[in-house]
Structures are given as C-alpha cells and as structure tokens.
Amino acid sequence: MRRMKKILGTALAAVLLAGCTAAPPADSGAAAEAEPPPAAIVFTDALGHEVILESWDRVASLYGSFAETWLLAGGTLAGTTEDAVSERGLELGEDVAVVGTVKEPSLEEVLALAPDFVILSADVTSQVKLHDALAAAEIPHAYYRVDAFADYLSMLEQFCRLTGREDLYEENGLAVQRQIDAVLAAAEDKTGPTALLIRAYSTGAKAKGDDNLAGVILRDLGADNLADRYESMLEDVSMEAVIAADPDFIFITTMGAEDSALAFMTETFENNPAWAGLSAVRSGRCVLLPKELFHYKPNRRWGESYVYLAEILYPELAGQIQ
C-alpha cells in the first residue's frame, strides 16, 4: 500500500485532481516543516479550506451518499453515518463503525477511529462546525457539495485518482455521463412544458428550483420550472400560488417521513376543491417522484433519474432512451 501511495503521489503531481493545486515550492526562507510532504495530495475543498492528504487508508464519511461514492471509487470505510444503511442500503461490514447521524455525527466516535481522511458535507451546519475540532486534532478532512451530476462526477474522479481505479471512474461515472448525454440529445428539440417542483415535508411545502437535483434535471430537459417565476413559492407554497401558476406538470418530492409529508399535501392541497381543476391534476400529470432517484443523491443511477423524468415530460421518447 505504501508503494501504491508513492506511485499515486507521483502520478497526481503530473495530472492534478480537479480543483486541486500542487504544493508550491518553498521560498528560500521558509521553514522545511511548513512544506507538505513530497507525496502529499493538496487541494481546496468546497468551503475553501486547503486539504493536505498523505494517506487514505482509514476513511470516515459523515454522509451516506459520499460514503457510497467512496465505495464506488474502490475505497474502503472505517466509519460512516446511519443514513448509509437506512437510506442507501449499503452493506457495511462489522469492521465499519456507525458514528451517529448526518445532522448529529459523534465527534468522539470519529476521533476514536483514528481516521486519516474524513469526508463531510458542506451543506450540513453541524458538520461545518466540526472543522476547527478536526483541524485541532490534525485529522485531514474535506467538505464536498453535490447538487448536480457534474458535482458527483468531479467527486468520483477525485476519489478514483486517490484509489487508482480509473476503471471505476469509467464504469460509475463516464458511462453514466454518456447515458445522460443521450437523453439530453433526444430531448433537445422538444418544446418544454411548464412544471412545478414541490418538496413536501410533515409541516410544509416549498417550490424548488435548480438548487435541487430534480430541479437541475428539469432545467436540463428543457422544462419551464415555474418556481423561477414565482419566487415567493420558494419559501412557502400556497394553494393560491399553485392555482395562479397552473403548471402542465406537478412533481412532488418528500423530505423526512413520506407518509407525513403526503398527509400534509392531502390536507393542504388535495382536499381543496380547486386542486381537481388544475391542468396537471386533470391530465394525470401530478407525479410523486421516487426518493432513491430524486431526493437522495442517485450517484451511479443519475442516468436513470434523467430517463425517468424525460419519459414523463416527453412520452414519445419512451422506449427510445434507456
């Protein structure tokens, strides 16, 4: 493994990770101990922190999606959070520790693993707050943000360069990119319908734009997401706003317990007599999107997410794309 790290370090010095920079040469007066080790990998993470990696044998991921991406790149895990099992269904060995939840990871349990690399989410406040403690413990760590397929592909490429598994970058990344490209080519000349993307949870609902993976896919497929016109719906969706928008399609994703989120939708919207008069409802175009493709990061299944929505938006494409 030590020899492999040396080889990887040499290769990565020539072909840098996306968004990474090589360690700068030391100034004549700089102290030698301030220089990164010769074989170190140096890059900047999603929050602008400089990350110096010398080893990645014991990796902990505090987000199940990112844990899966590390595994898809051929890596192994020392620890991860509970959602890796409950939401992603990852089969973790007995030697992989569960170190809390995404929103409440246990710093004590992470430190007990003696990790040489910790992967965190830039979008989870409690994880962002761990930066100072991890830095004080001198544990290399990096924050990532994945909102679209391009973000996943960039992360996978970086991870595969660390593991030396270019074959897995092809299989779980570039092959998916080709599938998405084929779907986009098939939909390129289509006239996009209007759509409203709603994310529902137990106590409310909000319209989502291209800060959401389903919103990004709708945009890429040429749909006119009405959340971009009715910005007030980004904070709270009202029945009045939905009536005013009257979209061709209504897409619903749920956050948290799906039963509770759907109960809120029924009570707030579907029980309103005006709901049945909406164009999308009359035409049978109110669609509940599956969580595994549109709420959780689909990772190597991202192409399936594009196919799923393309066939709904443009039924004539069904059977032509896969």
Side-chain angles (χ1 to χ4, degrees), residues 159-173:
F159 287 175
C160 286
R161 288 188 185 280
L162 292 175
T163 62
R165 295 296 304 273
E166 292 185 8
D167 59 317
L168 292 179
Y169 178 57
E170 165 63 34
E171 178 182 341
N172 297 317

Side-chain angles (χ1 to χ4, degrees), residues 202-223:
S202 61
T203 60
K206 296 181 180 181
K208 300 300 293 182
D210 57 12
D211 60 338
N212 174 276
L213 73 88
V216 171
I217 297 173
L218 285 171
R219 179 200 66 196
D220 290 350
L221 290 171

Side-chain angles (χ1 to χ4, degrees), residues 169-183:
Y169 178 57
E170 165 63 34
E171 178 182 341
N172 297 317
L174 296 181
V176 180
Q177 177 72 76
R178 289 192 292 272
Q179 181 185 20
I180 292 172
D181 289 344
V183 174

